[in-house]
Amino acid sequence: MKKSIFFIVVASFNYCLSFSQSIATSPYSLYGLGSLYDSNFGIIPALGTTGIALSSENFINNKNAASLVDIPANNFFFEVGGTGIQTSFEDNSRKESRNNSQFSHFAFAFPINNKSAFSVAMMPYSSSSFKISELKIPIIDGADAYYYLDVVGTGGLNNFDFSYAYKLSKKWSLGFSASVLFGNTTDNRTFTINNSNTTIDKEISYKGIRPIVSSQFKINPLLTFGLNVKAPSRVNATNKQSVTVVSGSGESNLETDKLIDTDDFYLPMEIGVGFNKVFKNKLNVSFDYEKKFWDSTNQSDMYGYFSNQEKFSMGLSYIKAKTSRNYLDRIKFATGLNYDTGYLEVDSKKIQDKSFSIGASLPLDHLSSSLFISYTYGQKGRITDPLIKENYHKLSLNLNLDGIWFVRNKLE
């Protein structure tokens, strides 16, 4: 079992380091670092993404590192996940649909001793994937002269996360994480005026480290409170630019991979609180509130502004009996709601995101190995000039494998 898990870990780790970002295709990924992607492990996607106060007893809870101390002794958790998204975009004049599927995360976690635990995870942090074709723009406001713009963007950032948890007492635990962010985005723009095309290709590379402190406090075995604090961080940016002009007289390269001054990106302070209540060891009720202080970063985009963001999420889960011999009794069912005010403000209008989710945890053995399946339906933005509305259907599959390490087999 240990050799099998080790092989899976190494193979997945190598794959994660080489994968390219395409987790989301959205016009809103034009802004900033792209669409920020929340990787959610285990059953969290089915719970409306609540998890700040959840335990890591049965899966790796990446929403709160302090929960890692709940991993049973001598157990090794390995998880890999994937996501499929079907999205339709619509405005006042047209509607189109796109499909996408992608690896979403890889992680492993294990207790170091009876008071501490450790985890490593690799996941997307943001995705930039958009295309704008033949956008007609006046050269001067009110004039009859126009130029046409074509834009294609790709890329995104990865998050390599290291987490450590320590149990201060039977009720209180602390978690410390370091998120190593790295990756690049490309922005290819072609300006057409009469018979002349000017193409500007930009590739911006990013790197930075973000510290995170978390905590969980168990009032009693049935009620837990959680706290997450992500420190404001600077993501360093390097921009390489190439400029090519094609006209009737031929093609000329004005710039080739020239380093251009560009602003670094600033991530805001984030604070999240949550609670989880268990009723009769069958029903779980969880709630999270998160706030991101984008106003304090004093950042803007050429298309909009970054403003404070709030998230509200609630989740319910039910399991009939954890240790029943009846397989159906050990299936955990879950549902949740999520409301995100968004952090982008375009023409004084926020890009809001609302979603509903359902799912289940299917046990694979009598340990904690499980297949987590969830479906989410959501809406982002709205139909109003200049915004569009996204309707999306998302299917998430997370596989958690549990192995027992450092235990000798007993001979009968």
Side-chain angles (χ1 to χ4, degrees), residues 327-339:
Y327 181 80
L328 294 178
D329 291 346
R330 293 188 288 121
I331 297 177
K332 178 180 285 188
F333 300 93
T335 186
L337 298 171
N338 185 285
Y339 172 67

Side-chain angles (χ1 to χ4, degrees), residues 93-212:
S93 59
R94 61 180 179 176
K95 181 177 180 179
E96 63 177 270
S97 298
R98 296 177 188 173
N99 299 316
N100 194 20
S101 61
Q102 182 69 46
F103 160 89
S104 65
H105 65 273
F106 144 84
F108 64 87
F110 54 89
I112 299 173
N113 52 45
N114 61 354
K115 285 191 174 183
S116 61
F118 178 75
S119 74
V120 174
M122 182 73 171
M123 65 202 95
Y125 182 78
S126 70
S127 175
S128 180
S129 180
F130 57 89
K131 183 177 181 180
I132 301 173
S133 300
E134 297 183 353
L135 182 63
K136 188 177 181 180
I137 303 174
I139 296 176
I140 301 175
D141 290 340
D144 292 332
Y146 295 88
Y147 69 91
Y148 293 88
L149 173 64
D150 295 274
V151 186
V152 176
T154 59
L157 272 66
N158 303 307
N159 179 6
F160 198 13
D161 181 273
F162 300 87
S163 296
Y164 172 79
Y166 185 79
K167 184 184 293 186
L168 296 174
S169 67
K170 290 183 178 181
K171 294 185 176 183
W172 189 18
S173 62
L174 292 177
F176 306 92
S177 301
S179 292
V180 181
L181 305 176
F182 63 96
N184 61 75
T185 61
T186 63
D187 186 304
N188 304 317
R189 305 190 177 210
T190 300
F191 302 85
T192 302
I193 303 176
N194 298 325
N195 295 322
S196 175
N197 294 331
T198 300
T199 300
I200 302 176
D201 296 332
K202 294 182 181 180
E203 180 178 347
I204 304 178
S205 300
Y206 296 96
K207 59 182 179 180
I209 299 178
R210 189 178 207 189
I212 303 169

Side-chain angles (χ1 to χ4, degrees), residues 101-380:
S101 61
Q102 182 69 46
F103 160 89
S104 65
H105 65 273
F106 144 84
F108 64 87
F110 54 89
I112 299 173
N113 52 45
N114 61 354
K115 285 191 174 183
S116 61
F118 178 75
S119 74
V120 174
M122 182 73 171
M123 65 202 95
Y125 182 78
S126 70
S127 175
S128 180
S129 180
F130 57 89
K131 183 177 181 180
I132 301 173
S133 300
E134 297 183 353
L135 182 63
K136 188 177 181 180
I137 303 174
I139 296 176
I140 301 175
D141 290 340
D144 292 332
Y146 295 88
Y147 69 91
Y148 293 88
L149 173 64
D150 295 274
V151 186
V152 176
T154 59
L157 272 66
N158 303 307
N159 179 6
F160 198 13
D161 181 273
F162 300 87
S163 296
Y164 172 79
Y166 185 79
K167 184 184 293 186
L168 296 174
S169 67
K170 290 183 178 181
K171 294 185 176 183
W172 189 18
S173 62
L174 292 177
F176 306 92
S177 301
S179 292
V180 181
L181 305 176
F182 63 96
N184 61 75
T185 61
T186 63
D187 186 304
N188 304 317
R189 305 190 177 210
T190 300
F191 302 85
T192 302
I193 303 176
N194 298 325
N195 295 322
S196 175
N197 294 331
T198 300
T199 300
I200 302 176
D201 296 332
K202 294 182 181 180
E203 180 178 347
I204 304 178
S205 300
Y206 296 96
K207 59 182 179 180
I209 299 178
R210 189 178 207 189
I212 303 169
V213 178
S214 54
S215 176
Q216 282 192 348
F217 187 80
K218 300 181 187 297
I219 303 297
N220 56 56
L222 303 179
L223 178 61
T224 303
F225 285 90
L227 172 68
N228 229 0
V229 179
K230 299 182 180 181
S233 303
R234 180 176 183 172
V235 182
N236 297 315
T238 304
N239 184 8
K240 289 193 301 184
Q241 177 175 289
S242 298
V243 179
T244 304
V245 177
V246 179
S247 62
S249 58
E251 178 178 320
S252 59
N253 296 320
L254 302 184
E255 295 177 355
T256 302
D257 291 337
K258 181 180 179 180
L259 290 176
I260 303 296
D261 289 337
T262 189
D263 293 332
D264 295 333
F265 195 85
Y266 293 87
L267 297 173
M269 167 78 77
E270 298 182 23
I271 297 178
V273 294
F275 79 86
N276 182 66
K277 173 67 176 175
V278 182
F279 296 90
K280 298 183 178 180
N281 288 320
K282 294 183 178 182
L283 178 67
N284 271 46
V285 179
S286 55
F287 177 82
D288 285 359
Y289 169 77
E290 300 172 78
K291 185 165 184 177
K292 303 181 181 183
F293 297 88
W294 287 98
D295 283 352
S296 62
T297 65
N298 297 316
Q299 291 181 117
S300 63
D301 191 279
M302 65 181 295
Y303 303 103
Y305 298 89
F306 296 92
S307 60
N308 286 346
Q309 177 184 13
E310 293 180 287
K311 288 185 178 181
F312 304 85
S313 52
M314 182 180 70
L316 302 173
S317 65
Y318 175 82
I319 185 171
K320 189 173 183 179
K322 294 181 180 179
T323 58
S324 173
R325 292 185 178 182
N326 187 328
Y327 181 80
L328 294 178
D329 291 346
R330 293 188 288 121
I331 297 177
K332 178 180 285 188
F333 300 93
T335 186
L337 298 171
N338 185 285
Y339 172 67
D340 182 352
T341 65
Y343 62 94
L344 294 174
E345 189 172 312
V346 182
D347 284 356
S348 301
K349 300 179 180 69
K350 277 293 208 59
I351 315 292
Q352 300 178 349
D353 192 344
K354 296 168 284 187
S355 64
F356 163 77
S357 57
I358 57 173
S361 169
L362 307 178
L364 301 179
D365 56 23
H366 288 281
L367 296 174
S368 295
S369 297
S370 299
L371 176 64
F372 301 93
I373 303 175
S374 67
Y375 163 78
T376 301
Y377 170 74
Q379 294 183 344
K380 185 176 182 179

